[in-house]
Amino acid sequence: MSTLEDDLRRLMANETEKLRVAPDLVDRVLRSSRQKKTNRVRLTALATAVAVAGAVVPVYLVLGPNSVAVQGFGLGEPVAASETSRPDATGQAVPGPPAIDDFPPTPSPTPDLGDLGDGRAFGRVEVGYLPDGLQWSHWSLDSGDSYTTSWNYDGDKNGFYCVQIFVYEGQTVREVDERVRAYREEKEGRDVTIGDRTGYLLRQRVGEDGMKGTPSIFLSVGEGRTAEVMFSPTFAKRLGGERAVDRELKKIAAGLTATG
Amino acid sequence: MSSTEDDGFAAFVAARGTSLLRVAYLACGDEGEAEDLLQTALERTYQNWDRVRYDDPEPYIRRVIVNTSISRARRRAILRIIPMHTPPELPVRETDVDLRHVLMDTLRALPPRQRAVVVLRYWEDLSETQTAEVLGCSAGTVKSQASKALAKLRLASGGESVKGVIRNVHA
């Protein structure tokens, strides 16, 4: 005798038997994905152009007309060069804002984060503690005022991340402070004490892809610098319960120190 | 992404697209929305294709479809709280075909999570544990949600055999 469950299976099969994907589905997916990617690249490039233009003008104003702004070798911040380094005193020293279609190249992954070594020191922070078994993924991204790197079990830069740390400096500190303020207002997490510092511990993006969210902690690391430590949902699951996850997050946060 | 990877993605969609569209349709109950759900899920998959292609990408896409469907249904439910008009009265059921519609309507009217449980358990034949993984809940929750959903479907069928309904539709 058939059960309601069996009947349901047949009913659903009948209901869907005529459904077929549209022949142009792949084309639509590829087109839409590329369009979104292009838009993202343009927005990033535009934001970079605005940030660079905004930084160049004050430097020029402070140092006077005989100075020139050049791209530094640090984290993408423009630095002021002295008069002696100026290539042509009569030339057009200060670059104007880029033309609308003249976007600067998109920031690309770069190892230029200082001495990454085994991934413990990068940019202007040092990571004092990581859970057992994790290796630096050999991947990092430098976006100027913010930079990030990650760790996983196999050290493969194409592998999934287990732990990722973002460091925010300059203008981006204000943005991340806004995010934390919004989280705090929505009571999505809680303030925690890390030594003599205060951090904010929460689960971000709960429910995305059906997962239980991304365990994260925000913490100030020195003056004008905030770090965001994140665990992938899969890694968090491997660690066990929420208490174990929070404990590990706090230990990483406690081990973060400023190096510059 | 390289053209070889694009070809791999296209081959995957050609092989599994229709099956995934059916999951999307059963999860949301509307053909147009099912196509949109599938396209959304595939776009997200394409963005991560260099990572997910090494494993079986299907569970990932299924998870995106089902959870996006639940999320959209919840948003719509919130909008429905605002009374706009008096809902029409349901016509009296007269035939088995009507009963089939009633059952499908009942399936569509289930709370989104219960509907997802029915689709994943009885259409995709996932175990309670696998269903729980997709939905991000416990196996116990899956069990109780399935039980509630089946009770509603049984009530909607008025105790009549769904098998008879299907037989008559094909007659």
Side-chain angles (χ1 to χ4, degrees), chain A residues 32-255:
Chain A
S32 174
S33 299
R34 285 170 186 154
Q35 183 63 44
K36 283 175 185 168
K37 189 176 178 185
T38 304
N39 290 344
R40 273 199 305 273
V41 166
R42 286 191 172 180
L43 279 172
T44 306
L46 188 60
T48 307
V50 169
V52 168
V56 163
V57 173
V59 165
Y60 175 72
L61 291 176
V62 168
L63 297 177
N66 287 332
S67 299
V68 57
V70 297
Q71 192 71 19
F73 296 101
L75 289 168
E77 294 172 346
V79 296
S82 68
E83 189 176 347
T84 52
S85 67
R86 188 176 177 183
D88 179 1
T90 59
Q92 299 298 312
V94 180
I100 296 298
D101 294 329
D102 185 21
F103 291 111
T106 312
S108 56
T110 165
D112 185 19
L113 293 178
D115 179 18
L116 282 167
D118 58 358
R120 292 302 184 103
F122 71 106
R124 283 174 283 277
V125 296
E126 187 159 346
V127 183
Y129 170 80
L130 281 171
D132 286 342
L134 293 186
Q135 304 176 42
W136 179 44
S137 68
H138 298 89
W139 172 91
S140 62
L141 185 68
D142 176 1
S143 305
D145 273 358
S146 70
Y147 45 94
T148 179
T149 192
S150 65
W151 296 264
N152 55 25
Y153 285 113
D154 55 9
D156 176 9
K157 69 178 178 182
N158 293 315
F160 286 103
Y161 82 99
C162 291
V163 175
Q164 183 163 1
I165 298 181
F166 283 87
V167 179
Y168 303 96
E169 297 174 345
Q171 290 291 317
T172 57
V173 172
R174 202 183 308 160
E175 291 162 22
V176 79
D177 284 349
E178 273 297 301
R179 275 171 60 204
V180 173
R181 191 184 59 78
Y183 284 139
R184 197 175 271 123
E185 277 181 7
E186 295 292 325
K187 295 185 170 52
E188 297 209 13
R190 61 191 165 95
D191 289 299
V192 289
T193 303
I194 309 289
D196 58 352
R197 297 176 284 180
T198 302
Y200 195 74
L201 186 69
L202 79 162
R203 302 287 182 272
Q204 298 185 86
R205 297 181 279 279
V206 174
E208 203 172 85
D209 293 350
M211 303 296 274
K212 290 184 176 176
T214 305
S216 312
I217 189 167
F218 293 87
L219 186 80
S220 171
V221 185
E223 188 68 27
R225 185 176 303 130
T226 299
E228 178 185 9
V229 183
M230 302 193 304
F231 286 172
S232 74
T234 312
F235 178 65
K237 199 172 172 183
R238 188 184 287 216
L239 283 176
E242 292 200 357
R243 290 176 68 176
V245 170
D246 291 351
R247 189 172 57 240
E248 289 298 306
L249 270 176
K250 287 196 263 187
K251 278 169 85 172
I252 296 176

Side-chain angles (χ1 to χ4, degrees), chain B:
Chain B
M1 197 181 287
S2 72
S3 64
T4 311
E5 287 174 332
D6 276 358
D7 289 347
F9 179 77
F12 170 78
V13 176
R16 302 303 305 153
T18 293
S19 171
L20 289 164
L21 177 66
R22 289 171 178 173
V23 173
Y25 173 77
L26 291 170
C28 71
D30 179 86
E31 198 171 331
E33 191 178 343
E35 288 176 358
D36 187 55
L37 270 177
L38 178 60
Q39 182 169 337
T40 301
L42 288 173
E43 283 172 16
R44 288 180 63 175
T45 307
Y46 179 74
Q47 286 161 18
N48 297 306
W49 187 245
D50 57 339
R51 293 184 176 190
V52 299
R53 71 193 169 108
Y54 295 112
D55 299 321
D56 179 8
E58 200 164 335
Y60 174 85
I61 301 174
R62 194 190 291 131
R63 186 184 296 163
V64 175
I65 288 172
V66 169
N67 287 294
T68 307
S69 168
I70 291 173
S71 169
R72 288 183 183 180
R74 282 179 178 157
R75 278 203 294 274
R76 275 198 302 274
I78 290 167
L79 290 175
R80 273 203 296 270
I81 290 171
I82 306 164
M84 301 296 284
H85 60 85
T86 308
E89 292 198 1
L90 292 174
V92 177
R93 191 177 79 219
E94 288 180 352
T95 66
D96 281 348
V97 176
D98 285 339
L99 174 58
R100 177 172 176 256
H101 288 155
V102 165
L103 271 174
M104 282 313 294
D105 286 348
T106 307
L107 183 63
R108 288 189 190 101
L110 288 175
R113 212 173 177 80
Q114 282 181 21
R115 185 166 64 234
V117 167
V118 170
V119 173
L120 293 172
R121 290 281 287 119
Y122 307 120
W123 174 251
E124 289 288 284
D125 276 330
L126 299 188
S127 68
E128 284 172 353
T129 308
Q130 288 169 323
T131 304
E133 276 177 16
V134 171
L135 295 173
C137 63
S138 70
T141 303
V142 169
K143 205 169 187 168
S144 68
Q145 295 284 298
S147 170
K148 285 176 186 168
L150 289 178
K152 287 176 189 168
L153 288 161
R154 197 168 279 120
L155 190 68
S157 73
E160 296 176 47
S161 164
V162 184
K163 194 175 176 182
V165 175
I166 295 164
R167 190 172 55 240
N168 287 348
V169 167
H170 282 273

